[in-house]
Amino acid sequence: MRIVAGAAKGRQLRVPAKGTRPTSEKVREAVFSRLDARGFVDGTTVLDLFAGSGALALEALSRGAARAVAVDSSSQAVAAIKDNARAVGLALSVIRAPVDAYLAYAPDLQADVAFLDPPYAFPDRDLAVILHALLPVLVDDAMVVVERSSRSAQPAFPDDLLLQDVRQFGDTTVYMAQVTPHMTTASPLETVG
């Protein structure tokens, strides 16, 4: 696995020996193309939850994000993320904590983009709770990107997150939702797959 584009393009990333399912290069390229097109990478603050190898946070930094925070509960994942950040030469804040505990702590962070890539077996109900808990750390108009198994149900986004895009890549489906705290009318859902 490697960084797809930007300052660290082509640099190799280490994947923890077990317990993670890294986002493929194809999926990362598609996600970041969409985010770049909407101005959601350069100069932004990124939060990578269930970070695994840190590939999403490091990809964002490589492409010009100003700051990124990676959160994972696994000591093996945290070690891999730190190794990867050193190997590619990018400054990444790494936090070892369960995602729900991290969000409950009310971190002093205002993210423009949040990535959530929980294990495929992660319960839908727990994901819904985390999506709701995520709202206070997002800026107005922030983008939330959720990666799930294509066999899983669509995430239950809170009312303040409007689903903008759904894309399927084999057994992976990516959902992109945008914070819309003052929304008065629903926008059309764009589905590609």
Side-chain angles (χ1 to χ4, degrees):
M1 194 167 72
R2 62 189 172 85
I3 299 290
V4 177
K9 180 180 180 178
R11 300 275 181 92
Q12 296 292 318
L13 299 175
R14 181 170 77 85
V15 177
K18 61 179 184 175
T20 62
R21 178 194 32 77
T23 301
S24 74
E25 291 177 24
K26 176 183 174 181
V27 172
R28 275 187 286 128
E29 177 60 34
V31 166
F32 278 95
S33 290
R34 297 289 293 162
L35 291 173
D36 277 335
R38 295 177 180 200
F40 277 101
V41 180
D42 193 41
T44 59
T45 297
V46 173
L47 180 58
D48 186 359
L49 302 175
F50 306 98
S53 65
L56 291 166
L58 293 168
E59 188 75 42
L61 289 170
S62 179
R63 292 171 181 251
R67 178 182 179 203
V69 176
V71 180
D72 203 291
S73 62
S74 162
S75 59
Q76 288 183 339
V78 166
I81 295 166
K82 288 179 178 179
D83 287 349
N84 287 335
R86 278 191 295 273
V88 300
L90 296 171
L92 172 63
S93 299
V94 183
I95 297 170
R96 181 178 178 212
V99 169
D100 55 348
Y102 171 77
L103 293 173
Y105 170 70
D108 184 22
L109 178 77
Q110 290 292 284
D112 300 287
V113 179
F115 295 104
L116 290 88
D117 186 9
Y120 278 176
F122 196 76
D124 294 338
R125 184 176 340 138
D126 294 350
L127 179 58
V129 170
I130 286 172
L131 285 166
H132 191 278
L134 178 63
L135 288 171
V137 302
L138 299 174
V139 300
D140 284 355
D141 299 325
M143 191 67 73
V144 175
V145 180
V146 180
E147 185 176 334
R148 296 292 278 161
S149 165
S150 297
R151 293 179 298 277
S152 297
Q154 177 176 302
F157 290 101
D159 290 343
D160 289 340
L161 281 174
L162 178 64
L163 188 61
Q164 298 285 325
D165 191 49
V166 179
R167 296 196 181 228
Q168 186 173 343
F169 305 89
D171 67 347
T172 298
T173 300
V174 176
Y175 302 88
M176 297 178 78
Q178 190 167 14
V179 175
T180 54
H182 307 294
M183 181 180 68
T184 56
T185 60
S187 298
L189 168 64
E190 175 185 350
T191 303
V192 177

